[in-house]
Amino acid sequence: SGSAAAGDSLRAWEISGREVIPVSAPVSVDGVVTAIWPSTDGATAAVVVRRESPRRYEVWNGSALCN
C-alpha cells in the first residue's frame, strides 16, 4: 500500500512450494488499496480503494482469468 498521491497497484502472484512468482503485470490503482476481501465462492474479490480530493472510498469487484 502506498500514499494516496502516488497510488497503488494490484498484481497476481502464484505460490509454488516456497517461491512466490509474479504471474501478471501490475495494474495501477488511482488511490490506496485499503482492503481485499475474497468472496465466499473464491472466484472474485472485493477491493476497497481510498481516493483523495475529495476523499471517498470505492469498492471494486475483481476477478482473474487463469490459463
Side-chain angles (χ1 to χ4, degrees):
S1 184
S3 72
D8 247 336
S9 64
L10 295 171
R11 186 174 201 171
W13 299 84
E14 179 179 306
I15 299 172
S16 177
R18 293 181 168 230
E19 292 187 52
V20 179
I21 304 161
V23 293
S24 75
V27 176
S28 295
V29 175
D30 186 19
V32 176
V33 175
T34 61
I36 301 175
W37 296 314
S39 64
T40 56
D41 66 3
T44 62
V47 179
V48 180
V49 177
R50 186 187 78 224
R51 292 186 176 220
E52 301 293 333
S53 190
R55 178 171 282 192
R56 67 179 189 263
Y57 287 85
E58 297 178 353
V59 179
W60 302 352
N61 186 26
S63 64
L65 300 174
C66 301
N67 306 9

